[in-house]
Amino acid sequence: MDKKTKQEDPQEIEIIVNNIPYSLTIGIHPDQVGPSDTLAKTLRETLGLTGTKVGCDQGSCGACTVIMDGLPILSCLTLTIECDGRHITTIEGLQEPKTGKLDPLQQSFIDHTAFQCGFCTPGMIMASRALLDNNPSPKTHEVKEALSGHFCRCISHYHVLDAVLSASKKGG
Amino acid sequence: MPKEYRFIGKPTPRKDALDIVTGRARYIDDLVLPRMLHGKVLRSPFPHAKIKMIQTDRAEAMKGIRAVLTHYNVPTWQTGIPRHVKVLDSKVRYVGDAVALVAAETEEIAKEALDLIEVEYEELPAVYDVEEAIRPNAPQLYEEFPGNLLPLDVPTFGPKTLSQVVLGDVEAGFQEADIIEEGVYSYENIPNPLPIEPPGVIAQWDGPKRLTVWSATQSASWHRFIMQSKMGFPDIRAIGTHCGGSFGSKNYAAQPLFYAAALAQVTNRPVKVYYSKEEHFGTFSLRLGSRFRGKVGMKKDGTLTAVSGTWFVDTGAFSDMAQAQVAVGCGEAQLMLRCPNWDLKTKLVCTNRSASGVIRGFGGQELEAALMPVVKKALAKPDIDPVQFIKKNYVKPGDGYFWREGNWWVSEGMDYSKAIEAGAAAFQWKDKWKGWFKPTAINGPKRIGVGVAAHGNADVGEDESEAYVRLNPDATATIHVSVAESGMGQRSSLCKMAAEVLQIPLEQVQITPVDSLVNPFDFGLVGSRGTYAVGSAVIEAAENARQKLFELAAPMLQASPESLDTEDGMVFIKGQTDTGIPWRRIIGIAQTCTGFGRFEPDYSKPNFLILFTEVEVDMETGKIDLLKVVAATDAGQIIDPPSLNGQIYGSLGSAGIDTAIFEESILDKKTGQILNINMMDYKWRTFSELPEFQNVILESGIRTHRYGAVGVGEIATSPGPSAVFMAVSNAIGKTFTDYPLTPDKILAAVGKKHGE
Ligand code: FES
Ligand code: FES
């Protein structure tokens, strides 16, 4: 990050979301990103990517999980100004952009009806995607551990485990 | 054997599945209207106080602030039964009670403005315990309710609203009894159903009498027909978004709706009020407090002879729906306990903590959790197997009960003995049950215990539903019904029901958006009414549309309507598929053909669910692990297997099973604050702590509608607390008087102190 030239101009940062670079100006005006804006807020309100959900805004439900440089992070606990130069993937970025083909995990969540209200689902899918990217055939306990910070009040856990494990077997 | 269907009973993708997994599903906070303002609420730091002075000038002068409202200038709308809860009052009655409202261009400005409002309070003494609150010198919450006692009538249930169970002769019943047990048991955790998404509403006025509300709701129509009567009958158009969980609590959101509508009215702009998680925890819809003080009489063979006592129900600061929960709770108790003699009285009491709302379990869970421990104490004496007791005492076809509106109903449902046996076999109950207060196994410091409880509800046929089904020339169908999606998958299940009648692919059935302007009346997805009540209306509408289609086709095919059939958009003479003509030739290439269906209430078909639980108690730390759950029921006919399984697994969430061991809102009775209003301090079950969970669902068919199905989702949470309570008692050989069974209570019961 040090070599980022953007640091010369602290008023502007660039974040790459779903492979699209966005230049954002930091400031207090309505069209700017506030210094205290969380990444969740920027994604949802500035970039219109409302697929990322905010359940608690306190870092304890996992709903706002996105992938940053390959790792799952809580976007409600991450300040946008700290994301200069970072690559972020949100739920909107999982589908094949040209063909619209679903990520195998998305398909598996559909096939297993791995949701009830669906509000926790984007966060669950992003965390599972990060898991499978780093560990393509996880054991059940590893999936549980990767998702242990994810609150699902509807109790879709059992269906989610089936969905993630079956996507992993398919090499997702 | 269940019938083979094309869609019914098969797992099919949820209609909204693609939207959910791609993040396109729109929840209330994803919605932004042009010129929309953000509303925020200033809340009381005191549990009980008079507002002596409010100074709003500084807030009003802030840039970006569009309105500040206090009790001096809010509309005079009122909620509560009877109407007693104002939008804002000159008095606050719980920590978090609303004091002032602001609307601003951004959420940040609105929050900042709250800090600029100055309020002077005169503190009043507060009361938190139901039995203390009704003593003569207790602090009084409302002038109109002396003794803090609320009336028990529900106007919409009529003049005979059920508020007690009085039947037979309890004196004689106790005389006949071999065993009489009494006690006081409290289920007063006041847990939060805690859907992941906080409640939120957007309101917009189009003229003085026309209000549109968007909300994350479980039952959109409540935001029209219930809220209208509280607001001077404006014409409310209620639009629902995807709902991030509800569990009853978001059936409606009277307070957020009041706030948004009041701010929208003075600013003449759309206003969104979306609660923070702290507000959600601290000010929105807790479970009712429930305490039973009374006794039961029983014969040695487990025949109940008498139940008497008082059920104290604590609403917190106000009651919007508690009377209805008392009514339904009293009804459900009679389903679970066949007993000829009852004298169960209720007292509905308000206290100085955040209000209780509508929560899955709806009075029945609260009463069961407090009443069953005394029944079980009676069973322990002659060492009666609780499974046998449930089999003997769960309402049977031909048995009667009073339901919520006070009428006597006779069960035309089923005998659930087979489901009980199937569940017991799956759980291996016979091997695990060692008798009352005896552990199933002892492994060093750890003890295993098992417990069981059952629950039922006759609300599967509650209230009215209406639906239209419109056939389109392109062999598609559109269901017009006011049904929201808060997780039950009911919108998809209704599509399956219609697709099955019309024999068209499921993809060709659509359901209208949740909008009271385009849909006929439906009471909403409350209780377990989606499958039978709403389902019946949709099925009838689909059948009616099909009938009309056949009447149009009959002359073309030179046959009687009765001799026709349809499949995949063709109408033909039964058995002669080659005679077929497409819908578009019958209906016309641009026209439509619409059927109507209506369901009238029917309380004669109670559903049922039995829950077997196995726990492990660590005698050294007091920690309880839930190891295994088996839920057994008979759904008549499964509509969608994953949706039904999900509903039953849901017993682990929404202030259900875990209220027996760790779920609670911790109320500090010195300050009136709830101490754990965040998701770190409020305990919830994680992936790593999932018990083994097995559902045993029979499909015996029940006389409801075309598919013989009955809803069962709502009650899944209800037997949980008392089942686990019993399992823990059996594991360690001790009994308890109140929930939840936290480690300190376990250690105290076994004569140990923390750290010993
Ligand atoms: S919204 Fe970020 S963890 Fe809950
Ligand atoms: S599906 Fe509702 S919270 Fe997970």
Side-chain angles (χ1 to χ4, degrees):
Chain A
M1 193 152 81
D2 296 339
K3 48 183 167 13
K4 283 272 168 257
T5 52
K6 293 288 176 307
Q7 293 215 332
E8 290 150 24
D9 179 7
Q11 295 302 336
E12 197 162 287
I13 61 166
E14 183 178 272
I15 60 174
I16 302 99
V17 183
N18 303 328
N19 290 322
I20 300 172
Y22 294 89
S23 294
L24 303 171
T25 319
I26 307 296
I28 53 164
H29 296 294
D31 60 334
Q32 296 176 322
V33 170
S36 61
D37 282 5
T38 61
L39 179 60
K41 182 176 160 94
T42 302
L43 291 170
R44 291 177 49 81
E45 295 177 22
T46 310
L47 305 183
L49 296 169
T50 52
T52 299
K53 298 291 172 235
V54 175
C56 68
D57 217 9
Q58 299 171 330
S60 38
C61 77
C64 64
T65 302
V66 298
I67 298 176
M68 182 148 89
D69 296 333
L71 290 176
I73 58 146
L74 298 175
S75 63
C76 78
L77 279 192
T78 307
L79 292 179
T80 306
I81 47 168
E82 297 171 340
C83 299
D84 190 17
R86 303 295 197 129
H87 280 264
I88 292 147
T89 310
T90 70
I91 190 76
E92 290 92 346
L94 286 191
Q95 254 173 302
E96 187 69 47
K98 292 244 163 59
T99 61
K101 193 172 173 295
L102 293 175
D103 184 282
L105 261 171
Q106 290 174 311
Q107 189 58 51
S108 192
F109 268 63
I110 294 178
D111 296 343
H112 291 86
T113 312
F115 47 79
Q116 292 176 52
C117 77
F119 197 88
C120 67
T121 311
M124 294 264 193
I125 293 181
M126 296 318 289
S128 307
R129 182 70 269 154
L131 169 72
L132 297 190
D133 287 344
N134 296 306
N135 176 3
S137 354
K139 305 256 166 11
T140 305
H141 75 90
E142 290 171 314
V143 179
K144 284 184 177 175
E145 205 172 290
L147 294 177
S148 65
H150 289 253
F151 177 68
C152 174
R153 193 58 160 174
C154 301
I155 312 294
S156 295
H157 304 63
Y158 297 95
H159 290 111
V160 167
L161 287 173
D162 290 346
V164 176
L165 289 167
S166 104
S168 73
K169 276 183 225 130
K170 284 181 204 150
Chain B
M1 273 306 281
K3 232 176 113 181
E4 256 314 299
Y5 291 108
R6 184 164 162 189
F7 310 107
I8 301 290
K10 309 245 160 77
T12 50
R14 269 255 300 261
K15 297 289 276 186
D16 54 354
L18 187 62
D19 287 344
I20 285 179
V21 304
T22 55
R24 283 198 289 263
R26 296 190 101 198
Y27 298 80
I28 186 68
D29 201 34
D30 303 337
L31 220 66
V32 177
L33 298 188
R35 300 183 70 240
M36 186 179 86
L37 298 171
H38 297 265
K40 287 277 165 211
V41 187
L42 179 69
R43 296 183 177 280
S44 163
F46 301 113
H48 202 187
K50 277 194 191 128
I51 297 172
K52 287 180 65 185
M53 186 278 298
I54 303 193
Q55 197 56 260
T56 57
D57 313 12
R58 281 173 65 215
E60 278 164 48
M62 225 184 120
K63 205 173 156 219
I65 287 291
R66 297 290 168 251
V68 181
L69 294 176
T70 67
H71 68 90
Y72 292 112
N73 56 358
V74 276
T76 54
W77 307 325
Q78 283 193 325
T79 177
I81 307 180
R83 302 269 178 269
H84 62 286
V85 188
K86 299 177 177 162
V87 182
L88 299 173
D89 203 348
S90 57
K91 199 176 156 184
V92 289
R93 298 179 178 83
Y94 67 94
V95 171
D97 204 350
V99 174
L101 310 172
V102 301
E105 295 291 343
T106 70
E107 234 183 303
E108 287 71 22
I109 298 173
K111 276 189 218 159
E112 271 178 56
L114 295 182
D115 294 337
L116 300 181
I117 300 173
E118 287 161 55
V119 189
E120 219 176 278
Y121 297 92
E122 177 189 327
E123 281 187 71
L124 299 169
V127 64
Y128 307 104
D129 181 274
V130 264
E131 290 186 81
E132 274 168 35
I134 57 178
R135 292 207 181 109
N137 294 320
Q140 299 291 300
L141 271 76
Y142 297 90
E143 262 172 38
E144 58 269 50
F145 305 130
N148 296 316
L149 282 165
L150 294 157
L152 288 156
D153 322 281
V154 182
T156 49
F157 290 1
K160 294 193 294 176
T161 301
L162 194 63
S163 60
Q164 55 182 20
V165 189
V166 177
L167 185 65
D169 177 350
V170 279
E171 287 310 315
F174 282 117
Q175 261 163 23
E176 274 176 62
D178 299 318
I179 304 137
I180 296 177
E181 275 296 346
E182 57 188 311
V184 187
Y185 293 90
S186 307
Y187 182 56
E188 297 176 323
N189 315 30
I190 48 168
N192 197 310
L194 202 66
I196 185 167
E197 174 203 43
V201 174
I202 300 173
Q204 173 180 297
W205 291 88
D206 302 298
K209 288 299 267 181
R210 185 156 292 165
L211 172 65
T212 305
V213 292
W214 291 259
S215 63
T217 171
Q218 175 179 342
S219 298
S221 53
W222 288 33
H223 279 168
R224 175 173 165 78
F225 77 88
I226 294 186
M227 292 309 292
Q228 275 182 314
S229 64
K230 300 172 191 281
M231 302 174 74
F233 293 95
D235 179 8
I236 302 179
R237 176 177 176 190
I239 299 176
T241 60
H242 251 90
C243 175
S246 168
F247 321 113
S249 67
K250 289 191 223 155
N251 265 303
Y252 77 143
Q255 276 68 35
L257 195 151
F258 272 176
Y259 305 153
L263 291 166
Q265 197 169 50
V266 286
T267 56
N268 200 17
R269 288 177 57 175
V271 174
K272 181 192 278 183
V273 170
Y274 187 60
Y275 278 11
S276 70
K277 209 66 187 173
E278 287 93 334
E279 283 180 298
H280 185 182
F281 267 110
T283 72
F284 190 73
S285 278
L286 301 177
R287 203 178 265 296
L288 289 167
S290 167
R291 184 180 302 175
F292 175 72
R293 179 182 285 280
K295 56 180 181 174
V296 299
M298 190 185 284
K299 291 207 175 139
K300 274 192 288 237
D301 66 351
T303 305
L304 279 168
T305 60
V307 180
S308 81
T310 305
W311 181 27
F312 297 94
V313 180
D314 177 5
T315 71
F318 59 84
S319 138
D320 241 2
M321 210 48 81
Q323 288 87 345
Q325 298 181 65
V326 167
V328 173
C330 286
E332 290 177 29
Q334 300 162 76
L335 303 182
M336 290 175 275
L337 300 174
R338 295 159 98 202
C339 177
N341 308 303
W342 286 82
D343 185 20
L344 176 71
K345 297 277 168 48
T346 57
K347 286 204 189 307
L348 189 61
V349 183
C350 51
T351 59
N352 292 108
R353 52 108 180 136
S354 166
S356 293
V358 177
I359 300 181
R360 187 176 186 180
F362 203 73
Q365 175 170 330
E366 290 84 348
L367 180 54
E368 159 154 11
L371 171 62
M372 283 305 165
V374 66
V375 174
K376 289 173 178 171
K377 217 164 116 195
L379 287 174
K381 283 225 174 120
D383 211 9
I384 292 170
D385 181 334
V387 175
Q388 296 311 319
F389 176 82
I390 291 167
K391 219 193 231 176
K392 184 184 174 97
N393 287 298
Y394 191 78
V395 69
K396 302 245 185 304
D399 290 342
Y401 45 86
F402 291 107
W403 200 246
R404 61 177 214 191
E405 77 299 350
N407 292 332
W408 181 255
W409 290 80
V410 173
S411 169
E412 294 171 13
M414 61 169 90
D415 180 342
Y416 289 100
S417 297
K418 269 204 271 167
I420 296 171
E421 281 160 20
F427 185 80
Q428 296 176 298
W429 174 262
K430 285 212 177 87
D431 299 335
K432 291 180 177 169
W433 172 252
K434 306 289 181 203
W436 285 92
F437 302 113
K438 296 198 184 100
T440 300
I442 301 179
N443 309 318
K446 299 196 172 168
R447 290 178 174 223
I448 309 276
V450 293
V452 64
H455 203 93
N457 198 335
D459 68 351
V460 298
E462 188 168 77
D463 299 292
E464 291 83 6
S465 282
E466 296 172 349
Y468 299 116
V469 168
R470 166 160 55 90
L471 309 186
N472 306 307
D474 58 354
T476 63
T478 312
I479 306 172
H480 292 248
V481 67
S482 183
V483 166
E485 184 55 81
S486 59
M488 299 90 147
Q490 203 59 256
R491 286 172 62 82
S492 301
S493 291
L494 293 168
C495 290
K496 290 169 84 156
M497 294 187 204
E500 194 77 50
V501 172
L502 301 168
Q503 287 297 308
I504 51 176
L506 192 50
E507 303 75 57
Q508 286 166 223
V509 181
Q510 305 259 6
I511 188 163
T512 47
V514 185
D515 183 341
S516 64
L517 188 66
V518 295
N519 297 316
F521 176 79
D522 180 76
F523 189 75
L525 285 186
V526 301
S528 296
R529 70 185 297 281
T531 302
Y532 175 32
V534 191
S536 294
V538 168
I539 290 166
E540 191 182 301
E543 288 171 344
N544 183 231
R546 192 183 58 165
Q547 178 61 24
K548 288 184 176 168
L549 181 74
F550 290 169
E551 279 162 17
L552 291 172
M556 299 180 185
L557 286 164
Q558 294 170 338
S560 70
E562 294 69 42
S563 64
L564 301 182
D565 205 349
T566 181
E567 206 176 308
D568 293 324
M570 301 292 282
V571 174
F572 48 84
I573 298 167
K574 278 178 198 158
Q576 304 175 27
T577 35
D578 55 334
T579 57
I581 46 172
W583 285 13
R584 68 169 184 281
R585 271 190 49 212
I586 303 164
I587 304 173
I589 50 166
Q591 292 89 317
T592 56
C593 170
T594 299
F596 176 66
R598 185 182 168 84
F599 176 82
E600 296 288 345
D602 168 15
Y603 300 113
S604 70
K605 317 247 173 358
N607 62 5
F608 172 84
L609 189 128
I610 185 167
L611 209 62
F612 298 86
T613 60
E614 181 172 344
V615 301
E616 181 182 78
V617 184
D618 187 324
M619 302 291 273
E620 274 165 12
T621 63
K623 185 168 184 288
I624 299 168
D625 285 319
L626 180 60
L627 301 179
K628 186 180 169 98
V629 179
V630 170
T633 183
D634 195 323
Q637 162 72 51
I638 299 174
I639 306 294
D640 186 59
S643 301
L644 180 54
N645 282 320
Q647 284 287 293
I648 300 177
Y649 294 148
S651 59
L652 292 174
S654 61
I657 291 183
D658 288 331
T659 57
I661 48 181
F662 58 72
E663 253 198 55
E664 60 178 328
S665 300
I666 301 168
L667 182 68
D668 176 356
K669 295 193 173 167
K670 286 200 198 75
T671 61
Q673 306 257 8
I674 294 176
L675 300 175
N676 55 339
I677 56 170
N678 62 69
M679 295 196 50
M680 289 300 228
D681 296 322
Y682 190 95
K683 299 282 169 255
W684 45 276
R685 192 169 283 277
T686 69
F687 267 90
S688 328
E689 300 157 315
L690 287 181
E692 186 189 332
F693 203 129
Q694 187 184 348
N695 293 332
V696 178
I697 305 170
L698 305 189
E699 295 178 276
S700 307
I702 179 164
R703 276 177 300 149
T704 52
H705 53 48
R706 190 181 176 102
Y707 308 118
V710 75
V712 74
E714 186 249 357
I715 55 168
T717 53
S718 296
S722 72
V724 170
F725 196 84
M726 175 178 154
V728 175
S729 298
N730 289 336
I732 67 171
K734 302 279 177 198
T735 185
F736 301 87
T737 56
D738 61 332
Y739 299 78
L741 304 177
T742 44
D744 52 316
K745 286 186 199 157
I746 301 295
L747 292 179
V750 300
K752 276 202 184 146
K753 291 211 186 73
H754 241 308
E756 234 176 61

